[in-house]
Amino acid sequence: MKHLKWLPMLLVGASLMPFAHGADPAKVLRIALPAPETGFDPGKVNDVYSIGVVENIFDPLLRYDYLARPLKLKPNTTVGMPEVSADGKVYTIKIQPGIYFADDPVFKGKKRELTAADYAYSFKRYADPVVNSPVSNMLTDWVDGLADAGRRASKTGKFDYDAPISGIQVLDRYTLRLTLVKTNYIFLYTLAAKQFGAVAREVIEAYGKDTMSHPVGTGPFRLKEWKPGNKIVLVANPSYRRPVFDGEPTADPEDQKIAKDLAGKRLPLVDQVEIKVIEEDQPRWLSFLNKQLDITGVPKAAMKTALHVNNNDPFQTTLNPALAKRGIRLSHVLNLDITYAYFNMKDPVIGGYSKDKVALRRAIAMAYPLRQEVLPLLYGNQAVPMQGVVATGMAGFSPNFQGQVKYDPATANALLDQFGYKIGPDGYRTLPDGKPLVIEQATQASATDKQFNQIWQKTFDSLRIRVKFKVAKWNENLKSAYAYKLQMWSLGGSASMPDGDDSMIELWSKSIGSGGNLSAFSLPEFDHAFEASRKLPLGPEREAEFEKMNRVVAAYQPYVLGVTRFTNSLSHGYVLGFKPHPISTIGGFWRYVDIAKH
């Protein structure tokens, strides 16, 4: 999913109070990330932590309404919604005049207005091999001529940003027309993706290879301080257009209260966002209890004391009265996310499509105690098992399909015996050719990761398979994953759009090498179904193609399916207006929240 990826994702914090005159310099929103960011060039990042910052500095054309459920797209920097041709191939977009980039020395003291040409330039960057965007195919697969421009640049060594591209036309200062090579009825979601905010060409050219630390956008905040892997500070952007809140609440009383508090207020409402990287659960939890953080996710170790969980119905979860008396509030929602362990299909030990390799991956999946240990011990029963690659609640979810394998270590061992993975004199299995069988699983050093590793160790022990855990920082593992140097890694992803295309693209062969499809899964029958789904409008025909894809994945087992998680976010009583968003999971609330005096 374009959004990237994490294992123990604990949502971070926010705050809000009505404030009629905008940002108050005394108001600071304090939050924490559970893993390090990688940088802030929207063309170069795809991890959720960096993107949470990026979406507050840069402006995509469209945005999601803060409160509307089901999710609803709205204009962001556009005048109304884009005009879409009947065949879903041509998108004509009007940019609002009078939107300006944040001040930067590159502009030499002049106000720099956002124009259609800025989006044209920004979109071209995704085809530039020097940028090497991990989400390039979100545009290059669709925009006419963009992929060809990228191929030419690969040959010449330089992308020609001034050369015309048939699918990207600047009709006038404020009008952009995008023409697609094929029908795409959900391309509006792409235009709302958090990575596709506009950059200014002169900024990118001025900072060259250091664009990750010099983000200059038109969004509500700008970067003030960055200590990589430690601290990020954002301040309100004085050049921001300060839109008035226009959210559409549901009938829920909490939503109604947020809408009432925010009515007529200009955004953002806090002057500063301070972000710390706190990788361990316990220090992050203590920081929240001591009011050093304004909001936090509930770590697994604190669930029994912080929450009352109905183990038979995880949707029925309430806050411990002792915390409620302190003014702390609980937000409990089922995410649009997935977790899984992927196998590197290029790897000579665990990868491949022969029956013996499929049997090895299937056996590992069958020995993984998801319901028996992972759900209660690691998620405190605050998750639901995945049925397929698409999360519950998204278009493309197949409710009648069950791709989660049954926990059955005895049958898993019999399967390994059948395909020649014999147990040697040392008590461990060998490969069918008699060579040692060792699985290397990438992991991190946090307490939560260590708990996952203990369960994986038991899983492999039950199969008589040796396993080695390769420990590194999360962002270091990500770099290795991009290079297909990991054999196996446990990950997850938050949706970048409320559609299953977002998940299935991670298994499409054309995503290999682009920062997606870390498993390097490649099968024609999957590709055919995926490509067919992209030509169809929402409806039964499209859903049937998603079920075909799920069946192919279940047959070849590139993933061990995990769970879709609930978010249990706690906010202090002085935090007003906080509501987690299914798409903008990390940074989607920063501009909407305010801090009351406390």
Side-chain angles (χ1 to χ4, degrees), residues 285-301:
W285 177 241
L286 292 175
S287 293
F288 172 76
L289 294 178
N290 292 329
K291 296 187 177 181
Q292 295 168 336
L293 297 176
D294 300 319
I295 199 169
T296 192
V298 180
K300 189 267 301 180

Side-chain angles (χ1 to χ4, degrees), residues 16-34:
L16 175 152
M17 161 184 171
F19 187 74
H21 303 293
D24 183 336
K27 293 179 179 178
V28 179
L29 170 64
R30 301 160 305 169
I31 59 177
L33 301 180

Side-chain angles (χ1 to χ4, degrees), residues 85-161:
S85 63
D87 63 0
K89 291 184 178 180
V90 181
Y91 288 70
T92 304
I93 304 151
K94 295 281 188 180
I95 311 298
Q96 291 181 41
I99 296 176
Y100 295 94
F101 283 93
D103 294 338
D104 188 87
V106 169
F107 302 136
K108 299 178 181 179
K110 297 179 181 179
K111 299 289 286 183
R112 172 60 162 83
E113 189 180 25
L114 174 71
T115 68
D118 293 314
Y119 282 105
Y121 171 78
S122 300
F123 293 163
K124 289 177 183 179
R125 292 188 74 223
Y126 289 85
D128 188 341
V130 172
V131 175
N132 193 29
S133 172
V135 295
S136 59
N137 58 11
M138 291 178 70
L139 292 176
T140 57
D141 289 344
W142 296 103
V143 178
D144 190 28
L146 192 55
D148 289 338
R151 284 189 283 269
R152 287 194 298 271
S154 295
K155 293 179 180 179
T156 64
K158 185 176 181 180
F159 192 95
D160 187 352
Y161 283 94

Side-chain angles (χ1 to χ4, degrees), residues 227-261:
K227 296 179 181 178
N230 185 298
K231 183 180 181 182
I232 306 161
V233 179
L234 303 182
V235 293
N237 174 13
S239 301
Y240 190 52
R241 58 193 177 278
R242 308 300 304 280
V244 174
F245 177 77
D246 63 350
E248 300 179 22
T250 67
D252 182 90
E254 288 296 319
D255 284 1
Q256 292 289 326
K257 183 180 186 306
I258 292 172
K260 182 179 179 181
D261 287 343

